[in-house]
Amino acid sequence: MSSISGWASFLVLVLFINSCGGFYLPGSYMHTYSTDNEIYAKVNSLTSIETELPFSYYSLPYCQPKDGVKKSAENLGELLMGDQIDNSPYRFRINKNETVYLCTTNPLSEAEAKLLKQRTRDLYQVNMILDNLPALRYAKQKDVNIQWTGFPIGFTPPGSNDDYIINHLKFRVSVHEYEGSGVEIIGTGDDGMGVISEADKKKASGFEIVQFEVVPCSIKYDPEQMKKHQMYDVIDPVVCPTEIEKSQIISEQQSVSFTYEVEFVKSDIRWPSRWDAYLRMEGARVHWFSILNSLMVIFFLAGIVFVIFLRTVRRDLTRYEELDKESQAQMNEELSGWKLVVGDVFREPECAKLLCVMVGDGVQILGMAAVTIVFAALGFMSPASRGMLLTGMIILYLFLGIFAGYVGVRAWRTIKGTSEGWRSVSWSVACFFPGIVFVILTILNFLLWGSKSTSAIPISVYFILFSLWFCISVPLTLLGGFLGTKAEEIQYPVRTNQIPREIPARKYPSWLLVLGAGTLPFGTLFIELFFILSSIWLGRFYYVFGFLLIVLTMLIIVCAEVSVVLTYMHLCVEDWRWWWKAFYASGSVSLYVFLYSINYLVFDLQSLSGFVSAMLYLGYSLIMAVAIMLSTGTIGLLTSFYFVHYLFSSVKID
């Protein structure tokens, strides 16, 4: 709360001091350039929707900068996502249109030619960045304009065994003339926090880069003729050939010449709107359909809960309380349903410690997801700051350990009736989910190291993550556990019998009902899940966090309602073992999420090839499914506990 008020105070101070007309929070700090200023593009890892294994740009025989390759500073999120941002030799001079020679490679060795062919056939893309904007490419497929980020390494004509390299790039850079019009800029990107004040406006006047487009093509040059040029020599404009014979083939002992041309155009797009082209939302109707579908499920379940509370429970309780003691005793002999399990309903569940640990971790994951989505919906997680979303999630998870420890230990105290063993519970809460993630990531990392992919997590990052967990999350979880021992004890409203009541035999196993219950929360989630998976695995920007916030809210409501209804159904058939069933009633949605992920792999990621790629996809899907199980299961269990507590606190027992 204090951090939010601190932000508010800062913004009010900025507005008061500078008396600006507005401010721009998301994105990076605005850069303005004068005519002829030089700016160099950067290159990110090569990526492919076929393999999902990123590789370094300079793993291929591309032209290198005169001063050598230098890596850009990367945050934790970028490192974990496999980003490797390097400088490049592509130079742009503001408002100067030119065609430039870059370099001619040495004759390709057998290994280089083979690697280029392999990367081309695996549909690898070059991801170039200029002034923090990814390169945009427009393509036409079946009379439909498709927008991509990046451009392919090469192409293979249909029905041909030959591969051709992209060695000429046509850049179109849109610039907007900025004259210091009184708009205050607050940035949260590469250059940190910054404000353009009244005194700096004249200095800030110049040109802003607001769009960066690329058209790739392949041109067959005469290597001997091109070698006469020096890097950055201006050459005659070239036209992209339509005949395949005039394209540059990839073959052994063949030199490749690289050139590019730049065109600057004036644009009315302003700095705050320059990311709109990347974040343009498609399929808004589908999102709204998903929300309306979820609302129908919510109202249907709410109706059932309403009937349970007002008609069934209230009627039974009123009837029960109006009887005198003799009549109650006689009625108890004739009773059936939830009232018969009054002496067993709060009996300690099996594996009570594991349940408390999972609930504690569920609170931590749910809190991390909710806060991240709220901040992203408000615009604080801008895509201009790569890795910000993942970095923010990790930091939030670490600091929310205090709530995980508190809830886990308090649940332990409630079930056991004592604080004894709270340290063991706190340590287990701190280690359970991170341990699962660590094991899965380590297995995947060995596969990635073997493939020499840039998405392999370096040992140094492992050490950083371990240090953050051990120095922040663990102490806070233990502190939360300690606070849980000091919190007010939750008293059961009824006594538990010494001898457990026999549970009547049922025609069908109860786990079928539990598994079936997970379909309702999944129904509120699966459409949005498609967009999220497409964002992760098809390289698309996902920035409809407003919709995601609505979907998360509805998911929480549906999980709570499903769990309450299922718990009541089990109690009505005299099944008092409701703890784990309440957890998995809503937590079973994770099973459907994982099965849907496999369905997406088979039918929507048909191009994904290779054992390592499939294992990578399934490993990350498993982590996501476990996180969803813990968070949704926690919602179900806590809601059911308070429902059962309220229900039996209304019953008079002598």
Side-chain angles (χ1 to χ4, degrees):
M1 201 72 180
S2 60
S3 61
I4 296 174
S5 61
W7 271 100
S9 305
F10 175 76
L11 292 177
V12 169
L13 182 64
V14 169
L15 294 174
F16 177 76
I17 292 174
N18 296 288
S19 61
C20 64
F23 65 91
Y24 171 60
L25 191 58
S28 61
Y29 182 69
M30 184 181 75
H31 296 278
T32 55
Y33 303 95
S34 301
T35 299
D36 282 341
N37 277 175
E38 290 185 356
I39 178 173
Y40 289 84
K42 294 180 180 180
V43 284
N44 204 340
S45 300
L46 306 172
T47 55
S48 166
I49 60 171
E50 280 224 346
T51 67
E52 298 299 342
L53 299 174
F55 291 98
S56 169
Y57 174 80
Y58 291 109
S59 64
L60 296 181
Y62 282 125
C63 303
Q64 298 198 3
K66 284 184 174 179
D67 298 331
V69 178
K70 297 174 183 174
K71 287 181 170 51
S72 297
E74 295 166 337
N75 60 42
L76 187 59
E78 288 176 306
L79 289 169
L80 291 173
M81 290 191 299
D83 288 349
Q84 182 177 310
I85 301 174
D86 301 315
N87 60 334
S88 84
Y90 288 91
R91 184 191 68 184
F92 297 79
R93 293 192 284 185
I94 302 300
N95 289 331
K96 187 137 187 164
N97 299 340
E98 55 188 357
T99 303
V100 179
Y101 167 78
L102 213 51
C103 79
T104 299
T105 67
N106 294 323
L108 296 177
S109 66
E110 182 184 354
E112 288 174 330
K114 185 179 178 181
L115 187 60
L116 270 172
K117 283 174 171 284
Q118 184 63 47
R119 297 282 187 264
T120 299
R121 299 201 173 197
D122 285 341
L123 304 182
Y124 270 88
Q125 301 266 328
V126 176
N127 299 293
M128 197 169 284
I129 304 162
L130 183 68
D131 194 38
N132 212 30
L133 280 179
L136 268 181
R137 176 171 60 94
Y138 294 96
K140 218 168 197 179
Q141 288 184 5
K142 298 178 182 178
D143 298 325
V144 177
N145 284 323
I146 298 175
Q147 175 183 298
W148 300 88
T149 54
F151 57 90
I153 285 172
F155 61 92
T156 306
S160 172
N161 288 324
D162 294 326
D163 304 292
Y164 296 84
I165 189 171
I166 297 297
N167 62 337
H168 180 76
L169 302 173
K170 289 188 170 185
F171 294 110
R172 180 186 170 95
V173 183
S174 300
V175 293
H176 176 79
E177 190 167 4
Y178 175 73
E179 298 177 350
S181 56
V183 178
E184 304 299 330
I185 310 292
I186 300 177
T188 57
D190 294 341
D191 290 50
M193 184 64 65
V195 179
I196 295 181
S197 65
E198 216 45 68
D200 293 330
K201 282 179 186 173
K202 289 186 179 178
K203 282 193 288 182
S205 297
F207 295 94
E208 311 158 346
I209 295 174
V210 293
Q211 205 155 14
F212 181 40
E213 299 173 30
V214 62
V215 177
C217 58
S218 180
I219 301 174
K220 187 175 183 179
Y221 289 113
D222 179 359
E224 297 305 320
Q225 193 69 29
M226 296 303 288
K227 281 182 180 178
K228 295 177 182 177
H229 294 292
Q230 299 293 321
M231 185 179 278
Y232 302 127
D233 279 357
V234 176
I235 59 174
D236 295 332
V238 294
V239 178
C240 291
T242 53
E243 301 87 358
I244 197 67
E245 295 81 14
K246 295 182 179 178
S247 298
Q248 179 63 59
I249 195 169
I250 301 173
S251 65
E252 191 179 342
Q253 297 305 314
Q254 180 77 46
S255 295
V256 181
S257 296
F258 290 90
T259 57
Y260 69 98
E261 60 184 273
V262 183
E263 179 190 7
F264 283 88
V265 294
K266 296 287 179 67
S267 173
D268 293 328
I269 299 172
R270 299 182 67 84
W271 175 270
S273 305
R274 70 181 197 149
W275 274 89
D276 290 358
Y278 302 88
L279 307 179
R280 192 176 291 119
M281 186 180 66
E282 297 177 2
R285 290 185 179 181
V286 179
H287 289 283
W288 285 117
F289 172 77
S290 169
I291 289 170
L292 289 173
N293 173 61
S294 304
L295 284 173
M296 290 177 64
V297 174
I298 286 173
F299 286 129
F300 172 72
L301 289 172
I304 295 176
V305 174
F306 183 78
V307 168
I308 288 172
F309 270 109
L310 293 187
R311 295 194 58 185
T312 309
V313 177
R314 279 292 180 191
R315 184 190 61 199
D316 288 355
L317 287 175
T318 304
R319 224 178 89 203
Y320 189 84
E321 289 172 359
E322 285 175 352
L323 300 173
D324 56 29
K325 290 183 180 180
E326 287 185 16
S327 301
Q328 283 182 18
Q330 183 182 353
M331 186 181 179
N332 282 340
E333 295 176 4
E334 302 169 359
L335 281 178
S336 63
W338 62 269
K339 295 172 283 296
L340 285 177
V341 297
V342 68
D344 298 274
V345 71
F346 291 108
R347 190 174 299 282
E348 180 183 326
E350 295 179 357
C351 305
K353 181 178 178 181
L354 178 61
L355 183 64
C356 296
V357 168
M358 292 172 76
V359 168
D361 277 327
V363 167
Q364 192 172 5
I365 295 166
L366 183 64
M368 174 195 71
V371 174
T372 301
I373 292 170
V374 167
F375 271 80
L378 294 173
F380 286 91
M381 303 288 186
S382 170
S385 302
R386 275 170 297 278
M388 173 77 79
L389 189 66
L390 187 54
T391 304
M393 288 174 68
I394 292 170
I395 292 171
L396 278 170
Y397 180 84
L398 293 172
F399 282 96
L400 287 171
I402 189 169
F403 295 102
Y406 177 83
V407 173
V409 169
R410 194 154 189 218
W412 174 256
R413 276 185 69 202
T414 302
I415 292 172
K416 287 288 187 179
T418 177
S419 299
E420 190 177 345
W422 71 269
R423 290 182 183 84
S424 173
V425 172
S426 298
W427 271 103
S428 299
V429 169
C431 298
F432 183 72
F433 181 67
I436 293 172
V437 174
F438 174 79
V439 169
I440 295 173
L441 286 183
T442 302
I443 294 170
L444 295 178
N445 224 42
F446 278 117
L447 296 175
L448 292 170
W449 276 332
S451 302
K452 298 181 180 178
S453 169
T454 59
S455 62
I457 303 172
I459 293 295
S460 58
V461 176
Y462 260 108
F463 180 74
I464 291 169
L465 289 172
F466 177 80
S467 300
L468 288 171
W469 169 77
F470 190 76
C471 298
I472 298 176
S473 184
V474 171
L476 285 176
T477 306
L478 290 170
L479 174 61
F482 175 75
L483 294 175
T485 63
K486 302 298 180 186
E488 185 181 351
E489 190 175 348
I490 300 174
Q491 297 288 344
Y492 289 149
V494 292
R495 291 191 303 271
T496 301
N497 296 335
Q498 289 185 347
I499 302 173
R501 180 185 179 85
E502 186 179 350
I503 298 171
R506 302 179 66 173
K507 293 181 181 178
Y508 54 89
S510 59
W511 60 264
L512 281 177
L513 198 59
V514 171
L515 285 179
T519 57
L520 292 171
F522 180 71
T524 69
L525 183 66
F526 81 97
I527 292 178
E528 211 61 38
L529 190 62
F530 171 81
F531 288 99
I532 293 170
L533 290 175
S534 298
S535 166
I536 296 171
W537 300 106
L538 295 179
R540 298 172 186 169
F541 282 101
Y542 183 89
Y543 208 66
V544 285
F545 288 104
F547 281 116
L548 188 58
L549 181 60
I550 296 171
V551 169
L552 177 67
T553 305
M554 293 191 297
L555 178 67
I556 291 171
I557 295 170
V558 171
C559 285
E561 291 176 342
V562 161
S563 187
V564 165
V565 171
L566 203 76
T567 300
Y568 182 74
M569 289 173 66
H570 278 105
L571 294 178
C572 283
V573 294
E574 302 175 34
D575 187 351
W576 45 265
R577 294 174 303 187
W578 60 271
W579 295 87
W580 281 105
K581 290 168 186 172
F583 184 91
Y584 283 117
S586 51
S588 61
V589 66
S590 61
L591 174 64
Y592 297 100
V593 168
F594 188 70
L595 292 176
Y596 181 80
S597 300
I598 295 173
N599 172 80
Y600 186 86
L601 171 65
V602 174
F603 295 104
D604 293 283
L605 280 182
Q606 295 174 350
S607 60
L608 194 68
S609 60
F611 172 76
V612 175
S613 303
M615 289 299 294
L616 192 69
Y617 177 88
L618 292 173
Y620 287 135
S621 297
L622 184 59
I623 291 174
M624 180 174 68
V626 171
I628 290 172
M629 179 196 70
L630 292 173
S631 52
T632 54
T634 296
I635 296 166
L637 179 67
L638 293 180
T639 310
S640 289
F641 175 79
Y642 284 107
F643 165 72
V644 173
H645 192 280
Y646 168 79
L647 180 62
F648 285 91
S649 63
S650 305
V651 179
K652 293 179 181 177
I653 300 293
D654 293 328

